[in-house]
Amino acid sequence: MAVVPLADWLGAPTWPVVAVPRSQRTGFLVHWDGGRNPATAADEVTLLRAYHRYHLARSDNPDGFLYNLAVGPASGNVYIGRGIDALGAHAGGVNRTHVGVLLIGGPGNLTPAAKRGLRAAYALVRDTLGHDITRQVLLAVRRSFITPFDRGD
């Protein structure tokens, strides 16, 4: 498991960087996209770049990658997206308050490596912010909230 800087998987940001005061961050929101599962760390990067290109092509959010962070289910890597201190574009109404984390892939992607990566991402966010935050998962297919971290998963 590694923390992978944006420059190592994408290059320079294509979105406006808008800072959010750390005191306004109250949540850690994991998105599950329901797509295919990557087999390797290189495949995780391929999918991250595909997500970025997809959002660049959309008229409702032409800035590219939406999430502050991403976690790979094959490697457990934490990929820096927009960054912890930057405004995300991942969930209307909570982009300022919640750090958005994409769990790459679909059914079966909550692997042991993904769980380690999510815990590491949460610790990175908590340590960066200097305070605890709530943990939630947004199932992108159903747009409903569940909280598996609270059960110890």
Side-chain angles (χ1 to χ4, degrees):
M1 198 240 32
V3 176
V4 181
L6 178 69
D8 289 359
W9 70 266
L10 182 64
T14 57
W15 49 83
V17 178
V18 177
V20 175
R22 291 178 177 178
S23 61
Q24 292 182 12
R25 294 292 199 187
T26 60
F28 180 87
L29 184 59
V30 179
H31 297 256
W32 180 77
D33 78 303
R36 77 171 179 84
N37 291 325
T40 65
D43 200 20
E44 291 168 355
V45 169
T46 297
L47 287 173
L48 286 173
R49 290 177 179 156
Y51 294 148
H52 178 68
R53 286 190 307 273
Y54 169 78
H55 286 289
L56 281 174
R58 289 182 57 142
S59 62
D60 63 336
N61 186 13
D63 294 330
F65 197 70
L66 306 176
Y67 309 95
N68 301 97
L69 304 171
V71 171
S75 67
N77 287 345
V78 177
Y79 297 92
I80 304 297
R82 291 183 176 229
I84 295 168
D85 290 325
L87 183 67
H90 52 89
V94 297
N95 290 318
R96 180 166 293 279
T97 58
H98 287 62
V99 174
V101 181
L102 173 66
L103 177 57
I104 303 167
N109 69 344
L110 193 57
T111 63
K115 289 178 183 182
R116 284 191 303 275
L118 287 169
R119 288 185 188 106
Y122 179 79
L124 176 66
V125 170
R126 185 194 60 225
D127 293 349
T128 299
L129 297 177
H131 60 85
D132 282 332
I133 54 177
T134 61
R135 297 169 285 193
Q136 298 173 307
V137 174
L138 174 63
L139 297 177
V141 176
R142 296 190 183 100
R143 299 282 184 220
S144 61
F145 290 94
I146 60 172
T147 54
F149 292 111
D150 296 336
R151 294 194 321 260
D153 292 350

